[in-house]
Amino acid sequence: MQYEPTLSRAELVKFATQTYFGNVDAKNMEATLDCFHDEALFCVQTAFTRHAGKAEIRRMFEDFFGAYETIIHRDFTCTVDEKNGRITACFVAELHDADGNVTLLNNTNFWRLRPGPGGAKFQEVYVYMSGANVLT
């Protein structure tokens, strides 16, 4: 199903790379969750995991935020389908744990946004991860 577009190309890129990943990197739980519709679906395709709804997505992020001292998403290359409110990004995820270990992942995310109260938010997120799944 397609939704009426509400964001421009620049707004879609900003929402995904700055609003969403900016809040993930800052470990700002409420602002991160505010990027999702209540019944959103978050799938890590390369690990066959699925998180349905904000409660499951919150639990996933609680574990992720707790596992790493520093989270950095960088070097984005975005492709946008402005007409249908979809965006994909290839990027590097750099994760530092408390023991000083660094995990580097080359990931690709596919997002589908839909309008709603408070603006467009993620309805579906599909993640392809180059290494072990860190979003369990």
Side-chain angles (χ1 to χ4, degrees):
M1 170 183 226
Q2 302 298 332
Y3 301 111
E4 282 294 316
T6 59
L7 299 178
S8 68
R9 180 188 194 292
E11 290 169 326
L12 285 163
V13 170
K14 181 179 179 185
F15 186 81
T17 63
Q18 295 175 29
T19 303
Y20 172 62
F21 277 129
N23 283 302
V24 169
D25 292 357
K27 298 184 181 183
N28 185 337
M29 180 65 76
E30 296 312 314
T32 297
L33 291 175
D34 193 46
C35 294
F36 294 88
H37 279 282
D38 290 341
E39 69 284 353
L41 181 64
F42 191 110
C43 300
V44 180
Q45 296 293 91
T46 48
F48 309 107
T49 61
R50 173 185 157 134
H51 307 282
K54 273 193 179 177
E56 289 184 22
I57 294 169
R58 173 187 290 278
R59 200 259 335 130
M60 176 197 72
F61 277 117
E62 285 171 347
D63 292 350
F64 181 56
F65 291 170
Y68 297 98
E69 295 292 312
T70 305
I71 301 168
I72 302 166
H73 292 87
R74 59 180 168 81
D75 302 336
F76 296 99
T77 301
C78 297
T79 303
V80 176
D81 177 359
E82 182 178 349
K83 179 181 174 189
N84 294 303
R86 294 178 185 228
I87 180 171
T88 185
C90 298
F91 56 91
V92 173
E94 181 180 331
L95 312 171
H96 300 253
D97 70 18
D99 296 326
N101 299 309
V102 178
T103 300
L104 292 176
L105 300 166
N106 292 295
N107 294 355
T108 301
N109 282 16
F110 294 84
W111 296 282
R112 183 169 73 126
L113 286 84
R114 79 173 166 93
K121 297 181 181 197
F122 296 136
Q123 180 63 42
E124 298 172 14
V125 178
Y126 298 96
V127 177
Y128 292 78
M129 210 170 281
S130 67
N133 182 15
V134 297
L135 301 172
T136 58

